[in-house]
Amino acid sequence: MRENATLIINDQRYELPIVTGSEGEKAIDISQLRSKSGLITLDTGFANTGSCKSTITFMDGEQGILRYRGIPVEQLAEKSSFMETAYLLINGNLPTQKQLTRFSVMLNDNSLVHEDMQQFYQNFPRASHPMLILAAMVNALRSFYPELQTLEEEINITVTRLLSKVRTMAAMSYKISRGHKVVYPRPDLSYCANFLNMMFDSPVNPYQIDELLVDALNIFWILHADHEQNCSTSSVRMVGSGRVNLYAAISSGIAALWGPLHGGANQAVVEMLKTIDSDGGNIQGVIARAKDRSDPFRLMGFGHRVYKTYDPRAKIMKKMCHRVLGRLNRQDPLLDIAMELEEIALKDAYFIDHNLYPNVDFYSGIVLRAMGIPTNMFTVMFAIGRLPGWIAQWKESMDDPEWKLARPRQIYIGPTQKDYVPMNLRENTNSAKN
Ligand code: CMC
């Protein structure tokens, strides 16, 4: 049965269709509102606006649910690999063994980065942030791999190129930043093992693959693989809506993810924990600052636009954090601080009233530290994980029969019409008056 919402403006009634999703979520379709009433809707930050219909990821922020193509993220983290999950997100179904093998072969075939691109790395100033370098390099891929003949071929090859090369480029940027020799991908290693090997292997100190860390990395990337219409994914869809190539769209996603309120939070959390540590463990001081409205400081790794309960990814990440540190028999003072901070915050009236719980970034940095990943690479790790989601969302938008160029409207609050008067004329008039 079709449902409608009735909007009454100055006694005029407007019937607006209600759209219902497969999990019962409802939205008022206001796409015809302006042509019927002359009005637009205003929703800063799109906090209550659906930008598309999607079949990829389901989130319920009140109940703490996250599913990729219907499968709970908890099950994927326990049973799947990052590449299988990437295939699921991009293609809609889990792969058969044959499909997965073919996918792995394609990833291996496309894992090398054009040697000429290595020179780019040398020309960035030493202190450049790896997210900046990654965004630039991904965009530059288009000049090395121009458009293919058919859209299908273009999509399939570009997708595998991106998944494979972004991982290689990330490890390469780390090696070059340290002045070390680049380690090339090995076809005999899995996606995650390959990454760790490219990051940490060296001629003087061969890297021993540790299955615990490979497993942890698989889970880390599965948990980051998609999160429906978040800031970076919306950027990918928005930039892509102008029908730009996939590399450029993904590059925009990387730039959007970099911010500390989004993917950059994992770096910001560790920096915050380190500051608490060096200040002698003043957790109460940090909590007080986070609650102080006159202070822009926020408790990093806490709060989420959608989750109003514990982020399901954070639960898995916290468990993994304990497992990795326990198995490596390693103490990390930052973990102790994080746990104490969480305990205090979850009992504090401010955090309870504002529904502020740890998000995925609260414990992820500690896991990455245990793997040996440097802090400035944390957000790059998030970006590699989010790639399948960005690609899946871009692909879905390309095939969307309801596709439209993304072009929000605004309410103008600037000056009304005034005449052009050059500044020097104004000054002369003013000085004449004086
Ligand atoms: N610490 C202290 N207060 C907070 C926090 C926080 N981390 N997050 C939100 N608040 C307060 C905020 O001050 C406001 O209070 P009031 O209503 O009294 O003025 C209220 O909660 C609502 O905040 P908001 O900014 O309107 O909510 P939002 O939905 O726009 O914020 C957020 C979402 C993630 C930007 C925010 O929670 C935040 O800044 N968190 C810290 C950064 C962080 O951890 N980001 C990672 C997000 S998860 C990774 C990802 O998926 O991108």
Side-chain angles (χ1 to χ4, degrees):
M1 196 192 73
R2 270 183 71 111
E3 280 182 281
N4 279 338
T6 307
L7 179 67
I8 304 171
I9 306 167
N10 298 332
D11 293 336
Q12 177 75 43
R13 295 168 76 88
Y14 301 96
E15 294 297 315
L16 301 167
I18 291 182
V19 181
T20 306
S22 51
E23 290 283 350
E25 287 179 306
K26 288 183 192 286
I28 301 172
D29 179 348
I30 51 96
S31 53
Q32 302 301 316
L33 182 62
R34 189 170 182 277
S35 59
K36 287 182 181 169
S37 69
L39 294 175
I40 63 163
T41 54
L42 181 63
D43 179 21
T44 310
F46 311 122
N48 198 45
T49 295
S51 60
C52 61
K53 293 177 194 154
S54 179
T55 60
I56 302 170
T57 290
F58 174 68
M59 277 174 82
D60 181 327
E62 276 69 39
Q63 296 190 65
I65 293 174
L66 175 63
R67 299 183 199 134
Y68 301 156
R69 302 283 188 184
I71 305 178
V73 74
E74 292 82 359
Q75 290 182 22
L76 290 165
E78 194 190 328
K79 298 175 184 163
S80 183
S81 67
F82 177 52
M83 273 308 100
E84 191 187 44
T85 298
Y87 187 101
L88 166 75
L89 283 166
I90 295 167
N91 298 292
N93 290 301
L94 284 170
T96 60
Q97 191 49 52
K98 204 169 147 200
Q99 286 167 328
L100 191 58
T101 307
R102 192 175 137 60
F103 192 44
S104 300
V105 170
M106 278 180 79
L107 289 170
N108 272 331
D109 287 351
N110 287 286
S111 61
L112 288 170
V113 171
H114 201 293
E115 287 288 320
D116 288 354
M117 288 193 91
Q118 278 199 38
Q119 288 166 22
F120 290 2
Y121 285 104
Q122 316 290 352
N123 293 317
F124 283 104
R126 265 290 143 111
S128 303
H129 196 283
M131 281 297 270
L132 170 165
I133 299 175
L134 191 65
M137 297 296 270
V138 167
N139 211 355
L141 279 171
R142 173 44 100 208
S143 43
F144 288 87
Y145 304 100
E147 213 167 319
L148 295 168
Q149 294 300 314
T150 67
L151 187 60
E152 198 188 342
E153 189 188 22
E154 166 76 10
I155 289 178
N156 288 339
I157 302 211
T158 307
V159 163
T160 29
R161 260 191 208 136
L162 269 169
L163 285 172
S164 205
K165 289 189 201 309
V166 164
R167 173 199 55 172
T168 309
M169 289 193 308
M172 208 181 230
S173 69
Y174 170 66
K175 282 291 195 192
I176 293 173
S177 73
R178 305 203 69 195
H180 293 174
K181 205 166 172 292
V182 163
V183 175
Y184 288 96
R186 276 175 35 191
D188 59 312
L189 293 179
S190 69
Y191 189 91
C192 294
N194 228 328
F195 176 77
L196 291 171
N197 191 61
M198 283 190 275
M199 285 285 290
F200 303 120
D201 188 50
S202 82
V204 283
N205 200 1
Y207 185 65
Q208 297 297 324
I209 306 281
D210 181 336
E211 285 309 322
L212 172 82
L213 296 187
V214 172
D215 191 33
L217 187 53
N218 261 302
I219 296 173
F220 176 90
W221 277 338
I222 288 171
L223 296 181
H224 286 84
D226 195 45
H227 218 217
E228 50 118 304
Q229 308 313 317
N230 56 85
C231 172
S232 56
T233 303
S234 297
S235 306
V236 170
R237 275 193 182 253
M238 186 157 201
V239 171
S241 80
R243 290 299 189 238
V244 73
N245 67 78
L246 178 56
Y247 301 110
I250 297 292
S251 175
S252 76
I254 296 170
L257 187 74
W258 188 7
L261 295 189
H262 189 14
N266 54 14
Q267 177 173 343
V269 169
V270 165
E271 281 160 1
M272 177 184 78
L273 296 174
K274 279 184 185 165
T275 309
I276 297 174
D277 194 28
S278 60
D279 286 353
N282 184 7
I283 293 178
Q284 292 294 356
V286 167
I287 296 273
R289 277 193 70 193
K291 288 163 35 173
D292 181 356
R293 281 237 174 104
S294 63
D295 188 335
F297 173 80
R298 285 184 163 196
L299 195 58
M300 299 315 286
F302 259 72
H304 198 273
R305 173 63 62 77
V306 180
Y307 294 123
K308 298 304 163 204
T309 180
Y310 213 104
D311 178 339
R313 304 167 301 169
K315 275 188 198 159
I316 303 171
M317 200 67 85
K318 183 178 178 182
K319 249 197 228 161
M320 184 165 79
C321 198
H322 284 287
R323 185 157 70 96
V324 170
L325 291 181
R327 237 293 317 275
L328 295 177
N329 204 9
R330 204 173 290 166
Q331 294 285 320
D332 186 341
L334 300 196
L335 177 60
D336 298 334
I337 295 172
M339 288 197 313
E340 199 180 331
L341 188 58
E342 179 191 341
E343 201 184 322
I344 296 173
L346 291 183
K347 284 185 193 146
D348 188 291
Y350 173 91
F351 290 86
I352 296 169
D353 292 349
H354 285 77
N355 293 319
L356 298 170
Y357 294 86
N359 59 50
V360 70
D361 291 314
F362 194 66
Y363 285 102
S364 67
I366 301 170
V367 173
L368 293 175
R369 261 163 72 88
M371 281 180 199
I373 309 284
T375 315
N376 70 351
M377 284 287 288
F378 286 5
T379 315
V380 167
M381 299 299 288
F382 191 154
I384 301 173
R386 187 52 56 86
L387 247 187
W390 287 335
I391 293 170
Q393 302 269 354
W394 174 86
K395 205 166 161 240
E396 186 178 65
S397 72
M398 288 286 134
D399 297 337
D400 186 352
E402 293 175 13
W403 166 84
K404 270 194 163 66
L405 173 74
R407 201 326 185 168
R409 288 186 176 261
Q410 63 163 20
I411 294 294
Y412 175 70
I413 55 167
T416 51
Q417 184 174 337
K418 56 185 183 185
D419 287 330
Y420 170 76
V421 182
M423 288 309 275
N424 58 352
L425 203 64
R426 276 189 218 179
E427 276 160 18
N428 291 344
T429 321
N430 286 342
S431 53
K433 272 187 206 157
N434 292 336

